[in-house]
Amino acid sequence: MAQHKKLKNLFDFDDSADFGQSSRAVEAWFLGSRSENLDELENLIVEALRDHGFWRRNFHPSDPSYITESVKRNPNYLQALDQTKDSFRQLLAWLKKSVPFFSLRYQGHMTWETTMPSILGYFATMLYNPNNVAFEASTVTTLLEIEVGKDLCQMLGYYVPTEDEINDGVMAPWGHITCGGTVANIEGLWVARNLKFYPFTLKKVIAETPGFEAAKEINMTLPNGTQKPLLSLDTWTMLNLKADDILNIPARLTSECGIDDELVKNTIEDTPYTLQKMGMRAFAQEFLSEVPEQPVYFVPGTKHYSWPKAGALLGIGSNQMIDISIDKDARMNINELRDQLQQCLDARRPVLATIAVMGSTEESAVDPLADIVALRDEFRQKGLEFNIHADAAWGGYYACLLERKSRRMAALSEEDVPSPPLKLSCYTEKHMRALTEADSITVDPHKSGYIPYPAGAICYRNAALRDLLTFIAPYVNHGEEEPNVGSFGVEGSKPGAAAAAVYLSHKVIPPDTTGYGEILGRAMFSCKKLYARLLCMARPEDRFIVVPVPHLSEAVPGSTEAEKIQFIRERIDQKTNAEIREDAEVMEILREIGPDQSILTYAFNFKNPDGTINNDLAKANRLNQALYKLLSIKPGSDIYGYNLIVSTTNFETAHYGEDFMKDYKQRLQVTGVAEEPITILRSTVMDPWITEAKGKPFIDIIEEEFRKAISQALLQDAMLQVFEGIDVNRDGIVQKSEVTAKLQDLGYTPAEIDNIWKISDTNQDEKLSHDEFLANFAQFLILK
């Protein structure tokens, strides 16, 4: 074990300090949109290959070689090598049709360029192919994953004690890498479920196991501060004990009751009375006959799809997942959560967990976590206890923007850095700081950590929670364990290269204000500037309006919306980054406007010919769907023809609630049936350079591309309305007779009509589809 500790010390992050680091270090952390750092990356990749080859050649160098020079001259060898080269080059050609995540023009999903350290870490480690399922298959990368887990815990605000402090009884957090946020979320709910029912297993063991007589009077502290013996507690009280008190019971059996720790461990491990072994039905029949309702868990309307999946997989049932509607800013409605918790208390219905989304994947909205923690404290006093899980898959790395102890001195400012890092808003900062109170946290390095896939993670406030997912006894003494991450959680085999990628990226780019905070702070600045541009984009003569989902902040001066927008236009949108950086008032206002993090959602609407705003939601949706079609990549297409790439989603009343939907419809100036979704567009801004002025400001180019797409979409929509007018029988197909009638009305001669039909009906089937109509026929309507 001492050797393992010595080896682990080699991987500590503390020696990564680089005092006086310039903020232009960001440019050294990425390959670059024009491959500016290709030579450096190539040299290091070649170094990794050569180093790996050296390692192989020097492992028992006297062993025979089977790939001899004569073998290399064999025709079969040469043919196989040629096939490898040809197939490889075909793959390279196909890969050029991939999504250009690296580009300033890509604003689609939650992925962008990956850091050079993470690429190097992944590539170099991949050559060794370690499997972090077990230490003997990953003697280096298991240790790296353990260190990465600690680093993620520290980034999120959990206190990471020293080994000596752990041995003195200080609670330690723990984290590990998963393939993604879905698995991490499933684990989070799995832990909450098992923890809720674990006291019944312990009670059974103490009551019926020889050698545990001394524990029959062991007390538990109740929410009102009183103490009662565990064996005397009723079912409802057992279901509402605090997490740390539950997890501390096995250690107390030894420290307070004098029971041998091996006996405790082996007895709990071998007992058949665990939920893991019995299953939900048998466990409920044995222990939960007095519980009238199935346990539930609460999620916001902005939840990820993994949450109903988790309920289904764990046997809880997705019907026991209760949606809490969101407020007008797309954050969980805390008052509705309070009402639902009170209903559960009144009905004596167990609550497994409340999930707070700390950066929703559609709007990057941050739920009011500090208020959820306060609610738990409130209901804890009433006798209702539940876990809190923070789904920070997207937003976890934004904790790097919080002012905490950093590994190195703050970055020096430079005159040539026009994109200053922006702080989180006061609201967002408050609730991100509350992450320390969450029992478990999902965070995805492969999202806002700029790490290659697959690299999700889950962190536990109390390391003992991890043991609830294994089939061994939960025990608190982790300091002397054999290095192990593979037995905790859903996955078995997983690439050690993922842990190495996160490790090396964190080693070079600290997850604090001086590293990742610098990247994400610049991205936040760019996102807020894009928000300002969208607010100011539509001019009186334009045939459209654009409505960002985030409301105008009260921090913006002005008594009316028009006055606020004018302030933003004059003091933010029309100013250079350098001018904004020097304006302390504007920098404070800028942090308060726009989304909580750097995903911006918005929708366009159009004006009718008389200048009034379209009030038909279906038509507005059709416009935004057309915009998405123009600004998204089609499978297998040539990517070089795309000038801007965004993504889309739908807001639905069933998930978002009536308040949010009604408010946004009013702002978009549309009406529609309650069940009709709202189609919106989404820009994910992870690029730290998007607002830097190298020649023409790129944000101007983004506006130009939006304007081109809107013009084309409006024309296509006008043609669609013409198509629908010609399609008399509403079958989605225009017959030749319908076309002839329309062209005759426009004054075309029979000969011209016949010629137009031949040009338009490309497949000669005597009818026009909508695509044929737009591509070949609509021009004749415009020309005439």
Side-chain angles (χ1 to χ4, degrees):
M1 188 61 218
Q3 289 180 337
H4 295 148
K5 284 186 177 181
K6 185 177 180 181
L7 187 58
K8 282 173 64 178
N9 290 337
L10 295 176
F11 305 127
D12 286 345
F13 290 97
D14 293 340
D15 63 348
S16 64
D18 187 1
F19 295 101
Q21 184 78 37
S22 166
S23 57
R24 275 306 186 193
V26 174
E27 282 70 22
W29 294 337
F30 295 97
L31 176 57
S33 61
R34 311 303 298 170
S35 295
E36 294 90 338
N37 289 325
L38 181 60
D39 287 346
E40 287 76 10
L41 180 61
E42 180 179 350
N43 290 337
L44 291 168
I45 289 289
V46 170
E47 182 178 340
L49 281 168
R50 289 175 176 170
D51 191 69
H52 182 77
F54 176 84
W55 175 74
R56 288 191 178 209
R57 285 191 297 270
N58 285 276
F59 184 77
H60 293 283
S62 61
D63 287 352
S65 172
Y66 294 99
I67 307 175
T68 63
E69 292 303 316
S70 61
V71 167
K72 291 181 179 182
R73 292 190 293 271
N74 185 283
N76 291 337
Y77 174 93
L78 295 172
Q79 182 181 4
L81 198 59
D82 287 343
Q83 184 179 11
T84 299
K85 293 177 181 178
D86 290 343
S87 299
F88 177 61
R89 286 160 185 157
Q90 288 174 10
L91 174 62
L92 292 178
W94 273 106
L95 287 173
K96 289 181 177 63
K97 295 181 180 292
S98 298
V99 180
F101 296 126
F102 61 84
S103 174
L104 300 171
R105 298 175 183 270
Y106 182 80
Q107 296 183 5
H109 293 274
M110 295 169 290
T111 185
W112 191 63
E113 184 160 19
T114 49
T115 68
M116 282 215 304
S118 67
I119 295 170
L120 292 166
Y122 199 100
F123 182 87
T125 309
M126 176 184 63
L127 299 174
Y128 297 82
N129 198 31
N131 181 356
N132 277 26
V133 68
F135 182 68
E136 58 265 28
S138 53
T139 50
V140 173
T141 52
T142 284
L143 300 177
L144 292 182
E145 184 170 349
I146 291 170
E147 293 305 307
V148 163
K150 291 179 183 177
D151 211 42
L152 289 169
C153 287
Q154 187 167 298
M155 176 187 81
L156 296 167
Y158 290 151
Y159 176 69
V160 179
T162 64
E163 289 290 330
D164 289 340
E165 288 175 320
I166 293 173
N167 292 332
D168 289 339
V170 176
M171 185 183 71
W174 188 81
H176 76 111
I177 298 294
T178 67
C179 67
T182 292
V183 167
N185 285 343
I186 291 169
E187 288 189 18
L189 189 59
W190 190 10
V191 158
R193 186 201 69 172
N194 289 358
L195 178 67
K196 180 66 68 174
F197 301 118
Y198 183 48
F200 295 94
T201 299
L202 296 174
K203 183 177 181 179
K204 189 78 169 178
V205 166
I206 293 170
E208 299 185 1
T209 305
F212 280 72
E213 290 80 7
K216 291 186 177 180
E217 297 303 318
I218 191 169
N219 286 323
M220 298 299 296
T221 301
L222 304 184
N224 60 10
T226 62
Q227 291 191 336
K228 285 188 178 181
L230 175 64
L231 298 191
S232 71
L233 300 182
D234 60 29
T235 300
W236 180 249
T237 303
M238 293 276 287
L239 287 167
N240 291 284
L241 297 172
K242 290 176 63 175
D244 292 345
D245 291 344
I246 296 169
L247 295 168
N248 199 33
I249 292 173
R252 292 178 61 202
L253 294 177
T254 297
S255 62
E256 296 179 18
C257 305
I259 304 172
D260 181 73
D261 59 348
E262 284 297 314
L263 176 61
V264 172
K265 176 181 177 182
N266 293 334
T267 302
I268 297 175
E269 184 175 339
D270 295 339
T271 181
Y273 293 104
T274 67
L275 178 59
Q276 300 277 71
K277 296 177 181 177
M278 298 178 71
M280 284 294 293
R281 181 177 180 183
F283 192 91
Q285 290 174 341
E286 176 72 24
F287 297 112
L288 306 177
S289 60
E290 299 176 11
V291 180
E293 300 280 355
Q294 294 189 69
V296 298
Y297 60 105
F298 296 109
V299 297
T302 55
K303 67 186 178 299
H304 189 256
Y305 64 82
S306 58
W307 288 109
K309 184 184 293 186
L313 287 170
L314 294 171
I316 299 167
S318 60
N319 285 347
Q320 275 57 253
M321 179 189 74
I322 298 178
D323 271 350
I324 303 298
S325 67
I326 58 175
D327 62 18
K328 295 176 182 180
D329 295 305
R331 304 160 180 158
M332 179 185 278
N333 186 324
I334 198 71
N335 292 324
E336 183 176 327
L337 176 61
R338 174 183 278 106
D339 292 342
Q340 289 285 351
L341 289 170
Q342 186 62 50
Q343 290 178 32
C344 289
L345 178 62
D346 294 342
R348 294 207 156 200
R349 187 174 195 180
V351 177
L352 299 174
T354 294
I355 286 83
V357 175
M358 306 304 287
S360 58
T361 55
E362 311 295 358
E363 312 83 8
S364 69
V366 171
D367 283 337
L369 179 57
D371 299 339
I372 295 171
V373 171
L375 261 188
R376 180 171 64 176
D377 292 341
E378 174 186 330
F379 277 87
R380 178 177 283 163
Q381 298 304 313
K382 300 177 182 180
L384 182 69
E385 179 71 22
F386 54 89
N387 257 35
I388 295 176
H389 179 89
D391 184 356
W394 162 251
Y397 272 78
Y398 286 82
C400 297
L401 291 167
L402 300 175
E403 293 289 346
R404 293 193 179 113
K405 180 182 178 182
S406 298
R407 292 190 195 145
R408 62 190 182 204
M409 293 177 63
L412 301 175
S413 62
E414 292 185 356
E415 292 302 319
D416 68 333
V417 185
S419 298
L422 197 65
K423 296 180 181 179
L424 298 171
S425 69
C426 293
Y427 167 89
T428 305
E429 180 174 328
K430 171 187 174 181
H431 296 291
M432 289 293 290
R433 287 192 182 280
L435 284 169
T436 56
E437 302 297 324
D439 296 289
S440 52
I441 305 171
T442 292
V443 57
D444 279 0
H446 65 211
K447 287 189 175 74
S448 51
Y450 300 82
I451 303 292
Y453 294 101
I458 185 168
C459 296
Y460 299 113
R461 182 182 56 81
N462 187 333
L465 284 168
R466 67 180 183 174
D467 298 312
L468 294 172
L469 305 186
T470 68
F471 288 83
I472 60 174
Y475 205 63
V476 297
N477 184 14
H478 300 298
E480 298 300 324
E481 289 183 353
E482 183 79 8
N484 173 34
V485 292
S487 63
F488 307 109
V490 173
E491 295 163 289
S493 295
K494 59 181 182 178
V502 181
Y503 166 80
L504 192 58
S505 197
H506 282 207
K507 183 81 169 177
V508 177
I509 311 168
D512 56 36
T513 55
T514 68
Y516 274 99
E518 183 80 15
I519 301 171
L520 293 169
R522 288 204 213 172
M524 284 287 292
F525 181 89
S526 297
C527 185
K528 300 301 181 85
K529 284 268 293 191
L530 178 58
Y531 171 77
R533 175 56 58 91
L534 291 180
L535 281 175
C536 303
M537 179 176 166
R539 298 186 284 264
E541 66 272 19
D542 285 326
R543 292 184 55 209
F544 66 86
I545 62 169
V546 57
V547 182
V549 169
H551 286 81
L552 270 171
S553 171
E554 292 296 323
V556 182
S559 57
T560 66
E561 180 177 312
E563 289 177 357
K564 289 176 179 288
I565 291 176
Q566 186 61 25
F567 178 91
I568 290 172
R569 178 179 289 110
E570 293 175 355
R571 297 283 296 277
I572 297 175
D573 186 49
Q574 294 178 354
K575 297 294 185 179
T576 66
N577 292 356
E579 289 172 328
I580 292 173
R581 184 180 60 233
E582 298 303 319
D583 190 331
E585 179 190 13
V586 165
M587 283 294 289
E588 282 301 309
I589 291 171
L590 193 61
R591 68 182 289 208
E592 298 298 332
I593 68 173
D596 294 338
Q597 294 165 351
S598 60
I599 300 177
L600 179 59
T601 48
Y602 47 91
F604 289 86
N605 198 1
F606 64 91
K607 295 179 181 178
N608 297 308
D610 63 0
T612 59
I613 304 295
N614 162 63
N615 64 2
D616 187 335
L617 175 58
K619 291 181 179 179
N621 283 344
R622 192 160 74 180
L623 171 64
N624 287 290
Q625 290 159 5
L627 286 170
Y628 171 67
K629 190 174 181 180
L630 292 166
L631 299 175
S632 60
I633 295 179
K634 299 167 185 63
S637 61
D638 180 6
I639 67 164
Y640 298 101
Y642 294 93
N643 298 327
L644 182 64
I645 302 164
V646 300
S647 56
T648 187
T649 191
N650 287 329
F651 293 152
E652 298 179 358
T653 304
H655 301 301
Y656 282 69
E658 293 183 2
D659 289 347
F660 176 88
M661 295 292 284
K662 182 180 179 181
D663 174 75
Y664 193 61
K665 286 177 184 177
Q666 287 177 346
R667 294 165 58 204
L668 199 56
Q669 301 184 46
V670 294
T671 58
V673 297
E675 296 76 19
E676 190 171 9
I678 304 173
T679 299
I680 57 98
L681 301 176
R682 175 177 57 182
S683 289
T684 303
V685 182
M686 299 178 69
D687 185 339
W689 302 297
I690 200 169
T691 59
E692 292 200 14
K694 301 294 185 183
K696 186 173 186 178
F698 201 81
I699 205 162
D700 292 345
I701 296 174
I702 291 175
E703 178 179 345
E704 287 179 5
E705 295 305 325
F706 271 132
R707 288 185 174 278
K708 290 177 186 176
I710 292 165
S711 178
Q712 189 174 348
L714 289 173
L715 176 60
Q716 289 180 358
D717 193 72
M719 291 300 98
L720 177 59
Q721 294 181 47
V722 172
F723 179 89
E724 291 171 344
I726 298 174
D727 183 20
V728 178
N729 61 5
R730 297 292 188 269
D731 62 354
I733 297 292
V734 173
Q735 307 296 330
K736 185 175 183 179
S737 59
E738 295 172 322
V739 171
T740 299
K742 180 65 176 180
L743 291 177
Q744 286 174 343
D745 291 342
L746 292 173
Y748 283 97
T749 67
E752 288 174 326
I753 292 172
D754 186 59
N755 189 44
I756 290 171
W757 183 258
K758 289 179 181 179
I759 294 172
S760 303
D761 186 19
T762 54
N763 59 3
Q764 299 180 348
D765 62 355
E766 295 296 308
K767 57 189 177 184
L768 296 181
S769 67
H770 179 235
D771 289 341
E772 284 180 308
F773 178 86
L774 287 179
N776 305 312
F777 181 73
Q779 59 180 314
F780 299 108
L781 301 180
I782 298 172
L783 291 172
K784 199 68 178 181

